[in-house]
């Protein structure tokens, strides 16, 4: 009897031990995965888009952006392989005052193509699944839920910010410099853009035109003040909070979504639509593209830009893009395939 029972008992014990070991390994594996997901993406249950191994790569990409910004004389395009997939963590290290809780820790996944100096910019494709709208944006009550702007586009000159794409909370340009001081005041611009603006300004001056500089780079806080002042004005005229906010946003973009926050735009002349009748506007219409600037909010594109006609707002995109945009008669959203 014992000869049969003992081997049988041993077999049972061995089987139990084996099952225990297998379960332990499986459980540990699950715990490891869960820990990685939680630490990478604490704000969302949507863990499917996170790739932990991409973090070091995204840091490299961001470092490149900062380094290239220190070269103030010659704008450079982002270095990189022909086609690279990066997962970018837009951390918020802000020194600017801000009440926005917009993208607390968004993770975007971007496929960027190799920079090209001539081709039309099919540079980015951002998947909807990986770019969550920021539902806690302070102006969400009026229908504004911008997604994080993609700062890692292959060509930095084509960074798109508008009411649908917001800069990281507390964004500040890598380096700000004053534009040239001519007959009018100088204003701050991104250091990669300022040399081109200065060149344009001086060329206009040679032609007897003063490109009177009204507004360059604005901080998030300043943009917020301007935007909320506009809302207050409309509210005092009897509009509801939602109506007033929506109306204000056609004239002043909500904080974080303005090209003035990016440091790529200059308001020139006067903030009146009658500026289009000025010699300065005529000069800009003729020559601005030669220096890389576009009329960003054209009269016939308001349904796309969602911004009133602004003859004073000129945005830098680089000479070849500016010329292509002008020749095609499109706005930046159309040019980027984001209309
Ligand atoms: Zn402007």
């Amino acid at each position: 009897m014992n000869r049969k029972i003992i081997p049988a008992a041993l077999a049972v014990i061995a089987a139990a031990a084996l099952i225990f070991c297998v379960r332990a390994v499986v459980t540990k594996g699950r715990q490891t995965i869960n820990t990685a997901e939680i630490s990478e993406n604490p704000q969302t249950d949507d863990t499917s888009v996170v790739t932990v191994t991409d973090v070091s790569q995204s840091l490299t990409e961001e470092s490149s952006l900062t380094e290239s910004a220190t070269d103030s004389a010659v704008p450079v395009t982002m270095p990189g392989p022909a086609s690279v997939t990066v997962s970018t963590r837009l951390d918020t290290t802000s020194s600017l005052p801000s009440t926005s809780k917009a993208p607390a820790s968004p993770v975007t996944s971007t496929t960027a193509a190799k920079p090209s100096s001539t081709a039309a910019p099919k540079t980015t494709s951002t998947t909807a699944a990986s770019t969550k709208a920021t539902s806690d944006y302070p102006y969400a009550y009026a229908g504004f839920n911008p997604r994080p702007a993609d700062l890692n586009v292959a060509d930095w000159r084509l960074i798109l910010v508008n009411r649908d794409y917001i800069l990281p909370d507390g964004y500040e340009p890598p380096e700000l410099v004053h534009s040239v001081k001519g007959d009018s005041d100088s204003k701050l611009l991104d250091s990669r853009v300022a040399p081109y603006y200065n060149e344009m300004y001086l060329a206009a001056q040679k032609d007897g035109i003063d490109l009177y500089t009204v507004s360059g780079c604005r901080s998030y806080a300043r943009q917020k003040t301007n935007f909320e002042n506009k809302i207050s004005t409309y509210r005092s005229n009897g509009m509801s909070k939602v109506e007033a906010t929506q109306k204000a946003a056609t004239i002043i973009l909500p904080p974080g979504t303005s090209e003035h926050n990016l440091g790529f735009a200059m308001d020139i002349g006067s903030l009146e639509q009658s500026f289009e009748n000025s010699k300065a506007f005529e000069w800009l219409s003729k020559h601005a593209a030669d220096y890389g600037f576009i009329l960003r909010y054209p009269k016939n594109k308001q349904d796309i830009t969602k911004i009133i006609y602004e003859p004073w707002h000129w945005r830098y995109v680089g000479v070849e893009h500016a010329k292509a945009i002008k020749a095609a008669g499109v706005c930046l959203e159309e040019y980027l395939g984001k209309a």
Side-chain angles (χ1 to χ4, degrees):
M1 284 292 280
N2 283 348
R3 283 184 190 167
K4 284 186 179 173
I5 290 169
I6 289 169
L10 284 173
V12 168
I13 289 165
L18 186 62
I19 289 166
F20 178 81
C21 288
V22 168
R23 286 190 60 183
V25 168
V26 169
T27 306
K28 182 156 176 48
R30 279 184 189 147
Q31 282 170 347
T32 305
I33 291 164
N34 287 341
T35 305
E37 286 171 345
I38 289 164
S39 64
E40 182 61 17
N41 198 6
Q43 301 296 321
T44 172
D45 293 325
D46 184 10
T47 55
S48 61
V49 299
V50 176
T51 310
V52 176
T53 52
D54 282 342
V55 171
S56 59
Q57 189 178 1
S58 74
L59 290 175
T60 307
E61 292 290 320
E62 291 196 355
S63 302
S64 303
L65 183 63
T66 307
E67 282 162 17
S68 70
T70 60
D71 184 354
S72 61
V74 184
V76 292
T77 50
M78 296 285 290
S83 178
V84 59
T85 299
V86 283
S87 181
T88 308
R89 190 184 176 107
L90 304 174
D91 283 325
T92 57
T93 50
S94 167
S95 58
L96 288 172
S98 161
T99 57
S100 169
K101 301 296 180 212
S105 188
V107 177
T108 61
S109 179
T110 305
T111 303
K114 187 176 184 177
S116 163
S117 60
T118 52
K122 298 293 180 197
T123 50
T124 64
S125 73
T126 305
T127 57
S130 63
T131 313
K132 286 184 71 115
T134 55
S135 58
D136 52 357
Y137 190 56
Y139 308 100
Y141 66 84
F144 298 109
N145 287 298
R147 284 168 284 175
D150 186 357
L151 301 183
N152 279 333
V153 284
D155 188 337
W156 62 268
R157 301 170 300 178
L158 297 175
I159 292 173
L160 178 66
V161 293
N162 58 23
R163 65 163 62 192
D164 294 325
Y165 292 97
I166 190 170
L167 291 166
D169 199 8
Y171 177 84
E172 291 178 76
E175 187 187 5
L176 285 171
V177 295
H178 281 278
S179 66
V180 68
K181 184 166 166 42
D183 296 340
S184 53
D185 262 0
S186 79
K187 300 287 176 191
L188 288 172
L189 288 173
D190 185 299
S191 63
R192 296 167 291 182
V193 171
Y196 296 96
Y197 183 79
N198 293 344
E199 210 184 323
M200 180 169 77
Y201 184 95
L202 295 172
Q205 204 173 43
K206 251 188 194 165
D207 290 347
I209 303 288
D210 177 35
L211 299 182
Y212 183 82
T213 47
V214 177
S215 189
C217 187
R218 286 197 288 266
S219 68
Y220 182 101
R222 177 69 185 277
Q223 189 76 20
K224 184 168 185 279
T225 302
N226 289 358
F227 185 57
E228 299 206 339
N229 285 345
K230 203 68 171 172
I231 294 171
S232 298
T233 302
Y234 289 130
R235 290 215 71 184
S236 65
N237 290 343
M239 283 189 189
S240 72
K241 190 177 170 190
V242 169
E243 281 175 326
T245 304
Q246 288 173 343
K247 175 93 170 157
T250 66
I251 297 169
I252 299 173
L253 277 156
T257 68
S258 166
E259 293 179 342
H260 289 288
N261 300 147
L262 188 62
F264 284 16
M266 185 75 93
D267 288 341
I268 298 169
S270 76
L271 305 185
E272 302 285 337
Q273 289 183 334
S274 60
F275 176 64
E276 73 171 343
N277 302 317
S278 67
K279 288 262 182 233
F281 182 77
E282 189 186 346
W283 190 94
L284 285 165
S285 300
K286 212 176 275 179
H287 302 293
D290 298 337
Y291 301 91
F293 287 83
I294 56 167
L295 178 66
R296 179 67 177 85
Y297 306 117
K299 193 181 274 182
N300 60 344
K301 299 295 178 184
Q302 297 175 64
D303 56 327
I304 297 170
T305 65
K306 309 287 198 302
I307 297 292
I308 59 163
Y309 171 47
E310 291 195 354
W312 57 83
H313 183 108
W314 294 82
R315 145 90 197 241
Y316 181 75
V317 292
V319 174
E320 69 269 32
H321 297 304
K323 285 183 171 175
I325 287 169
K326 185 179 174 184
V330 295
C331 63
L332 185 58
E333 281 84 359
E334 290 175 300
Y335 188 64
L336 296 174
K338 303 260 184 172

